[in-house]
Amino acid sequence: MNNQWNRREFLKKSSAATLAALAAGAPLSSLLSSCNNRRNAKADTVILLWMAGGMAHTDTFDPKRYTPFSKGMNANDVLSTFKPVPTILDGVSFSEGLESIGKVMDRGTVIRSYVAGDMGHILHSRHQYHWHTCYKPPQSVSAPHIGSWIAKELGTVNPVIPAFIDIGQRFTLGEGEELKAFHTAGFLGSEYGPFLIPDPSAGLESVRPPVGMSSTRFETRNQLYNDLISKGAMGEFGSDYQKESLKRSMEQAYMLLKSPEAAAFDLTKEPKESYDIYNTGKFGLGCLMARRLTEQGARFISVTTEYEPFKSWDTHDNGHTRLIDMKKQIDGPVAQLVKDLEKSGHLDRTLIILASEFSRDMMVEGRPDLKVQEQVEQPDIIHDIKNYGMHRHFTDGCSILMFGGGIKKGNVYGKTSDERPCKTVEKPIRIEEIHQTIYHALGIAEDASYIVEKRPFYTTPDGLGKAEMELFA
């Protein structure tokens, strides 16, 4: 374990892996396609609702004893900064501000025992890389995003709609290059990478030429882009397989451009009553777009609250006041997404997952038995509201929600301690089990792999991930 990781080292290793992926030839399937077992699949589509930045479990879906703010309070006495509010499930509460999601928990499961990976000094981008790929960075090859694995193994539902769509994340912010490291199909090829929509309110702009550009001019520009690609890193280092994969991805995007299905990206087509429920910001509109794309046959959709250092869920200060706003952004749209998909008949075959890279705590950085370098100054006595909230990174007890796709309804899985440290005490579940649970729901075998650099590369490290069958009905 490297306890001295920094962004520069992460980027250096990730860039080398990306170049290795470009040079890789076609990954050879070392096993029969897992698609042959899809008769046992419980889901056809996955929607990942990503709470980027570290969502505190004790202030969201796993509330503990509530302690209201008062000047001069002892920081160690604060376990939750919001009141617990009953959900539709008997004896199960969420924290204040998540009442709408609480009312749809009879359709899903709350996991309260996710344990994030131990990687020394905590960097958000490294833990997000681990969550999305199931592999700890760095790797000698560029590990594919879970959405890319699914796109490769299962293909498209609707050949016009990209199999893997990512909504809401920009790469022009701090740590943008690090985030790019896992928003990739890696050695699987560009055609399985994400179709990026940074802003869902401008989603239609992603699938049509800019205003004022004729189709002839667009085709000319597209050819110039092809020429530019051939003279860049792909042209210099890319294998024939990778070049063909990039070409196919561009052809698919062009096909979408001319299709009637492109209207799914146009949120102005949504009835006002429905639009207003989702319109809590970029994330809420992303949920609306995810619903529309699911109905059009998308395979994997990721909607993020967007990671930007020290903003949103990255609560290095003002944790309590920040979460008031974050809950307003997610509560109505997430609940409405579940209800809308249920109403349209898509929920049973759509697996919805709400998750974050790790949790947060007032006092513990890392986990109780493996503390890491402190990144936040937290006074023992709180005098300012900015210090009231969960500011440190906590990896030993995180919450995940799951709906649809064969998941049990009205279920609670795992448990964390009711006193600090609020760590997992029952049924710990880790990322390789989460990933394989998702793959199992889709009918993808746990030993699915490809030969890369003369060795098998599995969907989970060494193919050891096991689906948690207790999560299924």
Side-chain angles (χ1 to χ4, degrees), residues 48-176:
L48 173 61
L49 305 177
W50 185 247
M51 307 292 105
M55 177 187 67
H57 67 301
T58 57
D59 269 346
T60 53
F61 302 110
D62 192 8
K64 306 300 179 182
R65 183 182 66 251
Y66 166 64
T67 308
F69 173 75
S70 63
K71 289 186 177 181
M73 68 192 308
N74 190 318
N76 195 44
D77 291 339
V78 182
L79 298 180
S80 292
T81 68
F82 292 88
K83 296 177 182 177
V85 177
T87 69
I88 196 171
L89 306 180
D90 290 341
V92 179
S93 294
F94 286 169
S95 71
E96 187 178 22
L98 297 170
E99 288 82 1
S100 295
I101 297 177
K103 291 176 182 178
V104 297
M105 286 313 302
D106 56 341
R107 283 88 150 180
T109 286
V110 55
I111 298 172
R112 287 177 164 171
S113 55
Y114 172 64
V115 178
D118 299 316
M119 291 184 281
H121 183 64
I122 292 175
L123 296 175
H124 285 274
S125 47
R126 292 188 72 224
H127 276 80
Q128 291 193 46
Y129 184 107
H130 189 213
W131 206 104
H132 288 88
T133 69
C134 205
Y135 283 81
K136 293 182 180 181
Q139 294 290 319
S140 61
V141 296
S142 184
H145 189 290
I146 184 174
S148 297
W149 274 112
I150 292 169
K152 171 66 173 175
E153 288 297 299
L154 303 185
T156 59
V157 179
N158 179 341
V160 174
I161 298 294
F164 174 12
I165 301 170
D166 186 275
I167 303 172
Q169 181 65 58
R170 293 168 291 174
F171 301 106
T172 55
L173 311 170
E175 297 192 29

Side-chain angles (χ1 to χ4, degrees), residues 190-212:
S190 299
E191 65 191 295
Y192 304 110
F195 185 89
L196 299 169
I197 304 175
D199 185 351
S201 66
L204 192 58
E205 296 177 10
S206 302
V207 294
R208 69 180 182 188
V211 176

